[in-house]
Amino acid sequence: MSALLLAPAHSPASMALFAALSAGLGELAVARTPDELADAWRLHPHAPVVLDLREADAPARSAARELRRRLPDARMLALVAPGEGASAECDAVLTEPFYLVEVVRWCARAQVAPLTEGLLADLAAGLSHEIGNPLQALLLQLELLRTDERLADIREHLQLIEDASRRIQAVVRDVAEASERLPVAPTSTRLTELLRDARERLAGRAPRLPARLAVRCDDQPLAAERPLVAAALADLWQYLLLAGGPDDVLAVQAGASDAATLAIRAEARVPRLPQDAAARLFTPLWARQALGLPAGLSLTAARSAFRRHGGELHVLEQRGPRLLVEALLPREAVA
């Protein structure tokens, strides 16, 4: 599907828009209600969304603006009548009068998906794992060789190899650190709102999984880029639920850990994971491969999201076939 169009009002203007998008982009899905559009987007999550609100009444405009909360990852363009003002919920807004070709061009650009932050985090962690670990092993071997008197004649060559290895090691380390220092745009929010967003994201991916969440939250204020952290929590919860049995419950408890830190603890039974899961959970690709999951669910990227906020995501303990994962965030004043 090339694009999704919400057109609450059937009018000559909406028909002309449909014709222009169909001619310029190809196959197009049209919805009359936000529920219809949300269902269509879940089937085509990479399609850009156009909200034609030019002739919609007030209830329809209000319902359409709720789509940003329901579909936080969708790329949205709003078309509004003069005097309606810009919509902060959308990625872009066009106010009449405008050329239909402008709408087609925006959709064409939006179809090219940017490199996601999750992919960047996986790349950095993959470099550390695939290059950093062998380099560390090589440096240890070089240290042993330098103590061997039989190799005294080639110590200068060994030193050159060590110097080159350490330069590569420094580059890998810089890439890993940079991925965790990508800027965030924190806003004041509440812990309950963050957990609600994470639950809704999880429901959008797998509607049956949220019923297996048991959430207890001591509400606290915090400053965070809520969509980023909510997506990280949804990744973590989805993974832990998929690692359990079909009736297992994921217990989530959130609140203040101390005067400076908020903690979101998730404890789950994970019989599908091997015994060494606690030590390997954030190894690039391992978490997906352990359950045979497709690409798109990254615990490495989830941990990076918390680290970018000055927090952490780590496994506290494993008792039998159970995991306790703790996500930490600084409290608002500290952040």
Side-chain angles (χ1 to χ4, degrees), residues 297-311:
L297 189 65
S298 173
L299 297 190
T300 306
R303 182 175 62 177
S304 176
F306 282 90
R307 287 180 171 179
R308 288 169 59 190
H309 282 80

Side-chain angles (χ1 to χ4, degrees), residues 192-310:
T192 51
E193 295 172 344
L194 175 64
L195 299 187
R196 181 201 65 200
D197 284 3
R199 180 191 284 268
E200 289 178 351
R201 283 176 178 267
L202 182 60
R205 303 173 187 173
R208 296 183 180 181
L209 288 184
R212 292 166 53 197
L213 286 174
V215 179
R216 295 175 57 192
C217 180
D218 175 20
D219 196 19
Q220 298 285 338
L222 73 151
E225 189 173 319
R226 207 165 84 195
L228 180 64
V229 181
L233 281 175
D235 282 355
L236 174 64
W237 294 352
Q238 183 177 0
Y239 186 85
L240 294 176
L241 286 167
L242 292 176
D247 298 320
D248 288 337
V249 173
L250 175 62
V252 178
Q253 186 166 357
S257 177
D258 54 45
T261 309
L262 300 177
I264 305 168
R265 296 185 177 93
E267 185 172 5
R269 182 174 174 271
V270 287
R272 293 184 59 194
L273 293 180
Q275 288 297 311
D276 62 346
R280 305 181 66 186
L281 199 62
F282 303 113
T283 301
L285 302 182
W286 182 89
R288 287 201 295 263
Q289 293 169 349
L291 295 180
L293 298 177
L297 189 65
S298 173
L299 297 190
T300 306
R303 182 175 62 177
S304 176
F306 282 90
R307 287 180 171 179
R308 288 169 59 190
H309 282 80

Side-chain angles (χ1 to χ4, degrees), residues 102-118:
E102 296 179 67
V103 184
V104 176
R105 285 174 179 167
W106 185 91
C107 290
R109 289 194 300 268
Q111 286 176 341
V112 181
L115 185 62
T116 65
E117 294 173 345

